[in-house]
Amino acid sequence: YPDKVSKTVHREFLGPVDMHAKNDPAAIVQAARSGECELATQAMDIFTSAYGAEAGVLALQYMPFGGLFVTGGVTCKTRDFITGEKGAEQSFMNAFLDKGRVTPMLMRVPVFLVKGEDMGERGIKLKAIRMLREAHNSRMPSKGHMCNSCW
């Protein structure tokens, strides 16, 4: 659809002329959010549907009946598209549930959008603390240099 390309959005996506192309996806999200570019809106609808379909596949693999927590920077920055406030209505959930005869099982999986963008960092910090405690508890006690009450 070359005739539908918005030159303004395309330039913003590519970045300054005198530099390497930055290919900034935020330009597409912003153009779709404001409604200034039909192609950007279509791109976000396709992305949201693909994201929902993959989340559904993941839910089929792990069957998280306590909930599937969708997190990360992309999720936070595209939240209004995922929830259907912008773009195609409910494309994420429609794609999530579009799994044929296993759809009833997926309907039992609650989907949560986590607002925090740093969940990966939080998770690795928690893992590091647990590993440190495990290593500390498995060591032979020294001659009083460290005590278990310090941890």
Side-chain angles (χ1 to χ4, degrees):
Y1 307 99
D3 55 317
K4 293 185 179 184
V5 173
S6 166
K7 292 186 186 334
T8 307
V9 174
H10 187 68
R11 175 55 34 219
E12 194 173 323
F13 175 74
L14 292 177
V17 177
D18 57 343
M19 300 178 73
H20 292 297
K22 65 178 183 176
N23 298 335
D24 185 12
I28 304 300
V29 175
Q30 192 57 38
R33 189 171 282 134
S34 68
E36 72 180 274
C37 179
E38 181 184 346
L39 286 180
T41 303
Q42 288 178 359
M44 286 307 300
D45 291 343
I46 292 168
F47 170 78
T48 305
S49 293
Y51 201 20
E54 282 303 309
V57 169
L58 188 72
L60 286 174
Q61 289 176 336
Y62 293 102
M63 294 186 218
F65 295 115
L68 179 68
F69 293 81
V70 184
T71 183
V74 172
T75 301
C76 290
K77 291 175 180 91
T78 60
R79 181 185 181 105
D80 48 349
F81 291 96
I82 293 171
T83 59
E85 295 169 34
K86 296 283 186 179
E89 189 176 333
Q90 298 298 316
S91 63
F92 181 89
M93 285 307 295
N94 288 340
F96 178 85
L97 295 171
D98 188 20
K99 302 292 183 274
R101 61 182 171 212
V102 294
T103 296
M105 192 271 306
L106 280 178
M107 292 176 80
R108 294 177 40 216
V109 175
V111 178
F112 300 98
L113 298 181
V114 179
K115 292 181 181 179
E117 293 185 35
D118 64 342
M119 296 310 290
E121 290 86 356
R122 290 182 188 188
I124 196 67
K125 179 181 176 183
L126 179 62
K127 179 69 174 174
I129 289 169
R130 287 179 178 169
M131 288 174 66
L132 181 64
R133 285 185 178 155
E134 184 179 309
H136 179 274
N137 291 337
S138 67
R139 279 194 344 216
M140 295 288 288
S142 62
K143 298 187 186 214
H145 295 292
M146 294 187 76
C147 62
N148 285 340
S149 64
C150 298
W151 292 87

